[in-house]
Amino acid sequence: MSATLSSEKTAAALRRSARVSLELLLVLLMAAVALWLLGRTWPVVWPLIVGLLLTTLTWPFARFLRRRGWRPAPAAALVTVLFLLVGSGVIALIAVPVASQSGELADGVVEGIGRLRDWAAGPPLNISDAQITGAFDAAVDRIENSAGSVVNTAVTGVSTVFSGLVTAILALFLMFFFLKDGPRFLPWLARQLPGRLATDVPVVAERCWNTLGSFVRSQAFVGLLDAVFIGIGLWILDVPLVLPLAVLTFVSAFVPIVGAVFAGFVAVLIALVSNGLTDALIVLAIIIAVQQLEGNVFQPMIQSRGLGLHAAVVLLSVTLGGSLAGVVGSLLAVPVAALVAVIWNYLREQLSDPQEGPEQEDGEPDPEPAPDGGPDADAPVPA
């Protein structure tokens, strides 16, 4: 005899489902409002984020100076000036080789296009010169017909460059103030919040700061190792633009998985255009070997504590961030996912029931307290 459904249990399940759905809708609505506010205030939020990332990278040196007796303002000023000098030197080292080798690279591109055309004209494609010329003329006509959009694109590009310059200047000023006044933020924040928030919010902020700093510094070191090894391989093969390609490899390390693929593709393409297919395949092998060393040796050693994120989560985060906000979204996807994981873990800690350990037998000594392994009390957690 089949069991019949209980009307009371069914109604209770429906009411519970409706309540959970309503609560979920409210959470999603609040998330949408938060994202809308973030978009409206992005001109202010983006320099703040860049300043925070730069602060995590430069804070160890500032902390070293402060522990040696330097006042906060001179220490922050010296670190900021040194950062500007290093950044300017890197830009100069990139610009000079690019300018000096641009003619050679352009000739290599023309030669590569010629070889590609000869290959396309033979079997199995058998594309005639008339077809290639017709396609080229059609592309030129399309560009000429869309001259207005090209001008708009150029204007947009100039505006983007200007906006990027303003963002960089604001981020440098914010980095200086974060280095100078950052350690005073958490005590100030605890005094402003009521009740339990005075404890919870500073703890979460400190954990997020430690996670963000660990991510930025470890990625920078891993990217430096990748750039050095790949740059040595490109230099041995006499591939042009070795230094710019090494810098691109370093910068792309901040975008896990996707960044390495992009930097490797650019390096292989330039090797193919300038040196031929054999050297391009050798460059590809070097890049694959270095990436394997990074994934199996470098990162496990350097990121011993890690971010607590699975590789699939990292890949999906980068993909989602890139689809939502382009390059900026790809850069911020992994740190944001790591910060969300930190907040989620803290909420789980607070919402979980305390687990009672095994009863201690009489006569056993109390366990010694663990040594203080917490984060540096001087670590800045700027607003």
Side-chain angles (χ1 to χ4, degrees):
M1 182 176 180
S2 60
T4 59
L5 291 175
S6 170
S7 58
E8 294 182 357
K9 291 182 178 179
T10 303
L14 289 175
R15 285 194 299 267
R16 183 177 181 85
S17 300
R19 184 172 68 252
V20 171
S21 301
L22 180 59
E23 293 172 350
L24 182 60
L25 285 176
L26 290 176
V27 171
L28 294 177
L29 178 62
M30 290 302 299
V33 171
L35 291 176
W36 180 80
L37 291 175
L38 181 64
R40 299 290 294 179
T41 59
W42 189 249
V44 176
V45 173
W46 178 230
L48 181 65
I49 293 174
V50 175
L52 278 173
L53 294 176
L54 295 179
T55 305
T56 60
L57 197 60
T58 55
W59 170 246
F61 186 45
R63 179 179 55 192
F64 173 81
L65 293 177
R66 294 173 69 146
R67 288 178 174 177
R68 294 303 182 274
W70 285 60
R71 300 289 299 170
L78 178 61
V79 172
T80 304
V81 170
L82 290 178
F83 180 81
L84 280 173
L85 292 176
V86 172
S88 301
V90 170
I91 293 175
L93 289 175
I94 295 174
V96 172
V98 170
S100 62
Q101 300 181 28
S102 58
E104 178 186 349
L105 185 61
D107 294 339
V109 171
V110 172
E111 182 182 354
I113 292 175
R115 283 186 292 177
L116 181 62
R117 183 173 181 174
D118 295 338
W119 173 78
L125 298 180
N126 297 320
I127 300 176
S128 64
D129 290 343
Q131 292 175 310
I132 296 176
T133 304
F136 180 75
D137 292 339
V140 172
D141 293 338
R142 184 173 182 179
I143 293 175
E144 290 177 350
N145 294 331
S146 60
S149 62
V150 172
V151 172
N152 293 334
T153 303
V155 173
T156 303
V158 172
S159 175
T160 302
V161 171
F162 179 76
S163 176
L165 183 61
V166 172
T167 299
I169 295 174
L170 288 176
L172 286 174
F173 277 103
L174 289 173
M175 183 186 76
F176 168 77
F177 288 116
F178 291 163
L179 292 173
K180 174 178 173 290
D181 299 323
R184 296 187 295 180
F185 172 70
L186 285 183
W188 173 85
L189 183 62
R191 293 193 299 269
Q192 309 306 314
L193 296 174
R196 183 172 176 178
L197 290 177
T199 301
D200 292 338
V201 174
V203 169
V204 173
E206 189 171 9
R207 292 187 183 184
C208 289
W209 169 258
N210 293 334
T211 300
L212 185 63
S214 174
F215 167 77
V216 172
R217 289 189 289 270
S218 60
Q219 286 298 119
F221 192 67
V222 170
L224 180 62
L225 292 177
D226 288 350
V228 169
F229 286 117
I230 293 177
I232 292 174
L234 296 176
W235 175 72
I236 293 175
L237 294 173
D238 197 23
V239 176
L241 302 177
V242 173
L243 187 58
L245 289 175
V247 174
L248 177 63
T249 302
F250 172 76
V251 174
S252 64
F254 291 93
V255 186
I257 302 175
V258 177
V261 173
F262 172 74
F265 172 76
V266 173
V268 172
L269 180 61
I270 292 180
L272 176 63
V273 169
S274 60
N275 292 26
L277 180 61
T278 302
D279 284 355
L281 293 176
I282 296 175
V283 169
L284 179 61
I286 292 173
I287 292 173
I288 293 176
V290 171
Q291 294 300 328
Q292 290 298 316
L293 284 174
E294 174 195 334
N296 298 315
V297 179
F298 295 160
Q299 285 189 341
M301 290 176 58
I302 298 170
Q303 295 181 338
S304 57
R305 301 176 68 179
L307 298 177
L309 296 178
H310 193 272
V313 176
V314 172
L315 180 59
L316 292 176
S317 300
V318 173
T319 304
L320 179 61
S323 63
L324 293 178
V327 177
V328 174
S330 299
L331 287 172
L332 300 180
V334 176
V336 168
L339 297 183
V340 170
V342 169
I343 297 173
W344 172 253
N345 289 333
Y346 183 79
L347 290 176
R348 287 190 59 188
E349 291 177 8
Q350 301 304 312
L351 297 176
S352 300
D353 294 328
Q355 296 182 355
E356 297 182 359
E359 295 183 0
Q360 184 176 340
E361 298 181 1
D362 294 337
E364 289 187 358
D366 293 334
E368 296 182 0
D372 185 12
D376 183 11
D378 292 335
V381 189

